[in-house]
Amino acid sequence: MSEPDKSTARTIDIVEASLKRRYARERRFKLMGLGAVLLGLLFVTLLFFDIVSKGYTAFVQTHIALEVYFDPAVIDPDGKRDMAEIARADFRKIAREPLAKLFPEVTSRGDKRALYSMLSSGAPYQLSKMVMKEPGLIGTRQVVDLVADDDVDMVVKGNIDRNAPAADRRVNDQMIGWISKLEADGVVKKKFNTRFFTNGDSREPELAGIGGAAAGSFYTLLVTLLLSFPIGVAAAVYLEEFAPKNRWTDLIEVNINNLAAVPSIVFGLLGLAMFINLFGLPRSAPLVGGLVLTLMTLPTIIIAARASLKSVPPSIREAALGVGASKMQTVFHHVLPLAMPGMLTGTIIGMAQALGETAPLLMIGMVAFIVDIPGGPLDPSTVLPVQVYLWADSPERAFVERTSAAILVLLAFLIAMNTFAVIMRRRFERRW
Amino acid sequence: MFKKTLVVAALSAAIVSGTAHAAAARDYISIVGSSTVYPFATVVAEQFGKTTKFKTPKIESTGSGGGLKLFCAGVGVEHPDITNASRRIKKSEQELCAKNGVKEIVEVKIGYDGIAVANTKAAPQMDLSRKDLYLALAKDVPNPQGGDNLVPNPYKTWKDVNASLPATKIEVLGPPPTSGTRDAFGELVMEHGCQEFGFIKAMKKTDKKAFQAACMGIREDGAYIEAGENDNLIVQKIEANPNALGIFGFSFLDQNGDKIQGSKIDGVTPTFDAIADGSYPVSRPLFFYVKKAHVGAVPGIADYLAEFTSDKAWGAEGYLSEKGLIPMPEAERKQFAHDAKAMTPMGAL
């Protein structure tokens, strides 16, 4: 009898001796976990801080408010109000004249060139557009906020240091003097940068916008959604509800799971070989982009759709079959509606993934300079992440803030889509 | 669900049939090619789109080699009309073109681009010779103990290379081998630097392959850091690290003159004027190539050429010079403008 007593005492001793160590281990593990989470959060915060602090200034653009005289002698010398004639008029002269008036001391040719370079090369088009819209302006004087050049914009926003030695900065003392005078006169205005959202790409940072890329992303995703959602759901329904379970369906399942892990550039190469070289579809078109991204998102959607079909309890199917519904009626009237929220969530996540993708589009020519905003899935276009990539590679200083601003817009879209997916799941998810 | 699928099928059929129509006629110019020429070509394209009745050309940045491959794939609207290149077309590429029916190619030289070796303003300006750069960056260098053999690069600091240089670690950020800038750097700096050694120069005649390897091989022990194709990234990195030098296109030096400075190469600082008059040694010509068979088939090609070769674009005071393109001398400009207007195809290389 004394033997077991001895052994229990020993066990307790062992347990007590190691207890402290085990608690300490657990604490260490918890601390490490917490540390990992905090480190992750820190990096995300740093990333956001960096992007936001660089990018927020791009949402305003420097304008110079000048009193412009829409001189009929320049715009419409014949007085016929012929629109084609007016479009050809020299609006550069109209835009430059008030600036020359403000600085009458600038006379030499070189200095004048420098003075006029304070206005964006888009300023004359701005005036021309105004007149085309309202020919009544001809002959009047109007105070117009003209777009300033990107160098002026950078100085006003403080991205080019005015106090740096003259030789070291892009903008010379003379120009800084002019900017200071304009600022003292109160004509330098920072206005919300609507062009950034409506314009297509441009090599002049002050005129460049994400409108074209956003439209391209829209058409690309539209094609992707129209193709991948029905195909993905149909494939999932067939595999889950109708297909016999045999070696072939197993093989298909394994392949679908493997496809989800294929690097996206491979789909780009496939798209180039199939859609462009074999079918002769045009390069750089959102249609081809959409087709390639469909291939990429299909596995994601099929896997999500199958998971949500699986989560519908068999009792539902049995009940439907029990009251005399056919197999097809069971699936389409009962199972599919219940599984739909899960499928939609998977689709939205797949779409968000497709929105942020650049690598496969590289191969099919969507990494391109495109000024005109695409009007359909066949026009050449680019997409938002590609626009970010192209701007990040541009030498002009003002593109730095625009790159960050474009990233912000892209992130906003991604967060909105993911939030929508989360809300859908919360609202419609059923538990049995 | 079934109906919906039918609708989708019909819709995609409509889209595809519409495509066939779109491929039959293209109303915009399609341009591919070098990422170095891209910033200049895009400015011209934008100007062209704004001032003419034609659509703005589409410009893809594919690299010089990739662009020529696409360009030479054949004649027809599905192939590009123009390709930009930061080097001259090669004989092999011309033959590929000819094989695919692209027989008449118009060559237009547009100007020069300087390659700068730069560091941050926080550190003193470097005064390097091409020989220094070769010795600092080559994979194998002539034996410092003397003798006509190559040894793996032993140099750790700039002072080891040349006693008049500071004793800082050799750390150079530059483009990867796929980049045209790297090719040009190899040709203009490394090849020139290695020929200062008689026995390597002699190899050029006897064993061309060994000569190429001795001159162009760049060390892989961490002194040369491949920083990717993004020149802005190199600028940011050398700004943060006062010991590092960076290699990139002149336009990036031009835009960031408040933060970084170009090193003197063979005694000349990279400035706009020094590159234009040819005294700065590391500069290369830029080109674009036009498919003559497409002129007339795709609207606006002749007008695009006229815009590009006009004085207001590529002239000494043109808008391209504001973007950092170094213009050609006037006589050369006139010659190429004339050839572009007459669409004179280039001869065999």
Side-chain angles (χ1 to χ4, degrees):
Chain A
M1 284 303 276
S2 60
E3 283 269 317
D5 259 331
K6 233 179 177 181
S7 79
T8 24
R10 212 179 285 142
T11 315
I12 284 171
D13 282 345
I14 294 170
V15 167
E16 276 184 345
S18 68
L19 203 56
K20 224 169 134 189
R21 197 158 38 88
R22 281 163 61 199
Y23 274 132
R25 251 191 186 167
E26 193 170 321
R27 262 201 311 277
R28 268 206 307 278
F29 180 74
K30 271 194 194 158
L31 273 177
M32 277 198 291
L34 192 67
V37 171
L38 283 180
L39 198 68
L41 274 179
L42 178 76
F43 281 124
V44 170
T45 327
L46 269 179
L47 176 77
F48 268 80
F49 179 75
D50 184 56
I51 295 174
V52 173
S53 64
K54 270 192 200 148
Y56 78 97
T57 46
F59 294 114
V60 289
Q61 165 67 38
T62 307
H63 288 72
I64 304 175
L66 294 172
E67 199 192 53
V68 176
Y69 176 48
F70 290 96
D71 190 349
V74 176
I75 301 175
D76 192 15
D78 309 337
K80 281 194 240 151
R81 296 286 188 271
D82 177 7
M83 279 305 166
E85 201 63 44
I86 291 173
R88 271 199 293 277
D90 187 9
F91 280 95
R92 281 206 309 185
K93 208 166 157 188
I94 306 267
R96 285 168 172 187
E97 187 228 40
L99 208 54
K101 221 189 256 168
L102 269 180
F103 297 98
E105 71 278 10
V106 179
T107 47
S108 82
R109 208 168 153 263
D111 286 355
K112 270 193 167 164
R113 233 176 93 95
L115 179 64
Y116 296 149
S117 77
M118 289 175 72
L119 285 177
S120 161
S121 63
Y125 298 99
Q126 197 186 346
L127 292 174
S128 143
K129 238 192 223 161
M130 279 175 74
V131 173
M132 301 304 272
K133 216 166 138 195
E134 212 188 318
L137 286 174
I138 298 171
T140 62
R141 284 178 187 282
Q142 302 280 336
V143 176
V144 182
D145 295 331
L146 292 171
V147 200
D149 186 60
D150 56 316
D151 282 338
V152 176
D153 190 37
M154 288 295 100
V155 171
V156 171
K157 284 175 181 167
N159 290 352
I160 290 180
D161 185 5
R162 291 177 208 217
N163 301 321
D168 295 0
R169 54 179 140 72
R170 234 185 96 70
V171 183
N172 59 20
D173 284 340
Q174 190 185 31
M175 181 84 94
I176 301 265
W178 290 334
I179 295 172
S180 304
K181 173 156 188 285
L182 287 175
E183 277 177 322
D185 290 353
V187 297
V188 174
K189 283 187 195 168
K190 283 201 229 168
K191 276 182 27 176
F192 182 68
N193 192 356
T194 42
R195 274 181 205 86
F196 183 72
F197 296 97
T198 55
N199 276 17
D201 198 3
S202 168
R203 289 286 296 133
E204 302 299 331
E206 70 272 14
L207 303 176
I210 54 167
S217 272
F218 172 75
Y219 289 121
T220 309
L221 284 191
L222 188 71
V223 172
T224 312
L225 183 67
L226 283 180
L227 292 173
S228 65
F229 183 65
I231 297 175
V233 169
V237 167
Y238 176 76
L239 285 173
E240 203 56 45
E241 304 288 337
F242 294 96
K245 296 271 173 279
N246 59 25
R247 216 190 297 159
W248 291 111
T249 43
D250 280 351
L251 191 72
I252 290 173
E253 185 169 352
V254 168
N255 273 314
I256 288 173
N257 290 337
N258 278 342
L259 272 183
V262 166
S264 54
I265 186 93
V266 176
F267 291 109
L269 284 167
L270 180 71
L272 175 68
M274 280 269 290
F275 303 127
I276 294 181
N277 292 347
L278 195 66
F279 296 163
L281 297 184
R283 273 178 82 81
S284 320
L287 173 68
V288 181
L291 286 169
V292 168
L293 292 178
T294 299
L295 296 178
M296 200 195 79
T297 46
L298 258 182
T300 315
I301 293 177
I302 294 177
I303 291 168
R306 289 187 72 177
S308 68
L309 282 171
K310 259 189 204 134
S311 72
V312 176
S315 56
I316 305 264
R317 296 185 185 86
E318 281 152 18
L321 291 172
V323 295
S326 71
K327 180 95 186 172
M328 186 138 163
Q329 282 172 326
T330 308
V331 171
F332 285 103
H333 295 175
H334 300 282
V335 180
L336 204 56
L338 287 172
M340 205 38 102
M343 292 179 174
L344 285 177
T345 310
T347 310
I348 293 169
I349 289 170
M351 288 294 123
Q353 209 182 350
L355 175 65
E357 200 57 65
T358 48
L361 305 180
L362 211 80
M363 308 308 304
I364 55 169
M366 289 186 87
V367 179
F369 176 72
I370 287 148
V371 174
D372 301 326
I373 291 172
L378 290 170
D379 291 347
S381 72
T382 178
V383 293
L384 280 171
V386 170
Q387 191 66 74
V388 170
Y389 168 76
L390 287 173
W391 283 352
D393 215 13
S394 299
E396 287 81 2
R397 186 73 75 78
F399 272 123
V400 174
E401 58 169 35
R402 263 145 243 267
T403 308
S404 294
I407 295 173
L408 280 178
V409 173
L410 184 62
L411 279 178
F413 273 119
L414 289 175
I415 291 172
M417 283 169 88
N418 282 324
T419 316
F420 187 63
V422 169
I423 290 172
M424 290 258 297
R425 196 159 54 209
R426 280 276 165 77
R427 175 159 284 192
F428 295 108
E429 194 179 44
R430 285 248 205 131
R431 285 188 191 282
W432 281 283
Chain B
M1 196 67 218
F2 183 63
K3 259 187 202 158
K4 200 170 156 193
T5 321
L6 260 185
V7 170
V8 171
L11 207 95
S12 30
I15 290 175
V16 171
S17 60
T19 315
H21 173 71
R26 180 152 52 74
D27 59 351
Y28 56 88
I29 303 172
S30 167
I31 303 173
V32 293
S34 162
S35 55
T36 313
V37 186
Y38 173 86
F40 308 124
T42 44
V43 178
V44 179
E46 193 176 346
Q47 198 66 27
F48 171 78
K50 269 183 189 163
T51 52
T52 63
K53 60 184 193 298
F54 302 106
K55 281 197 171 179
T56 311
K58 176 191 88 179
I59 304 183
E60 285 178 50
S61 168
T62 61
S64 303
L68 278 159
K69 206 172 147 197
L70 286 167
F71 179 79
C72 288
V75 174
V77 283
E78 66 272 32
H79 302 293
D81 313 313
I82 296 174
T83 185
N84 301 318
S86 58
R87 56 164 172 80
R88 218 166 169 214
I89 189 171
K90 286 181 195 158
K91 196 162 185 247
S92 58
E93 286 160 344
Q94 212 181 24
E95 282 160 9
L96 176 73
C97 263
K99 206 180 90 192
N100 291 326
V102 186
K103 296 223 164 63
E104 289 187 309
I105 304 169
V106 182
E107 181 183 56
V108 184
K109 188 166 153 190
I110 58 170
Y112 296 93
D113 173 46
I115 297 174
V117 178
N119 65 351
T120 168
K121 286 238 149 144
Q125 190 187 25
M126 299 280 273
D127 187 351
L128 302 162
S129 68
R130 280 182 277 181
K131 189 178 158 195
D132 296 339
L133 280 166
Y134 165 70
L135 288 176
L137 296 177
K139 195 170 178 192
D140 298 305
V141 293
N143 196 339
Q145 265 88 48
D148 285 355
N149 64 326
L150 293 169
V151 293
N153 198 329
Y155 303 114
K156 294 269 177 277
T157 69
W158 290 101
K159 206 179 173 64
D160 296 343
V161 173
N162 182 341
S164 64
L165 292 172
T168 48
K169 207 176 127 208
I170 298 173
E171 210 177 341
V172 178
L173 293 124
T178 47
S179 156
T181 310
R182 166 82 169 263
D183 285 348
F185 184 79
E187 235 161 76
L188 296 164
V189 176
M190 303 294 284
E191 198 178 321
H192 193 276
C194 76
Q195 295 200 36
E196 307 250 330
F197 297 92
F199 75 96
I200 303 184
K201 199 174 179 183
M203 264 167 27
K204 194 175 182 179
K205 290 203 184 87
T206 52
D207 188 352
K208 197 132 200 216
K209 267 213 176 112
F211 171 77
Q212 283 279 337
C215 290
M216 303 287 208
I218 294 221
R219 64 199 289 187
E220 286 155 1
D221 57 357
Y224 182 87
I225 302 152
E226 280 173 12
E229 295 260 18
N230 189 330
D231 287 354
N232 266 331
L233 200 72
I234 301 182
V235 171
Q236 279 173 24
K237 282 185 176 162
I238 60 168
E239 205 193 326
N241 180 354
N243 286 334
L245 291 177
I247 299 171
F248 41 78
F250 172 73
S251 41
F252 287 83
L253 178 63
D254 191 36
Q255 286 279 341
N256 295 291
D258 55 340
K259 296 189 275 186
I260 52 174
Q261 60 191 352
S263 309
K264 279 187 188 175
I265 304 228
D266 292 345
V268 186
T269 309
T271 59
F272 192 90
D273 298 325
I275 300 171
D277 67 19
S279 56
Y280 182 73
V282 197
S283 74
R284 57 174 159 168
L286 304 175
F287 300 90
F288 67 82
Y289 294 92
V290 186
K291 213 175 272 179
K292 198 175 172 183
H294 282 195
V295 180
V298 175
I301 295 182
D303 302 74
Y304 175 78
L305 257 66
E307 172 74 34
F308 214 127
T309 56
S310 69
D311 248 16
K312 77 176 159 89
W314 74 355
E317 305 242 302
Y319 56 75
L320 286 175
S321 73
E322 268 164 47
K323 290 282 174 190
L325 179 79
I326 317 287
M328 294 183 284
E330 199 170 347
E332 213 178 346
R333 284 208 304 273
K334 265 201 181 130
Q335 176 61 39
F336 276 103
H338 176 265
D339 285 356
K341 201 167 177 215
M343 293 279 170
T344 320
M346 65 187 291
L349 288 175

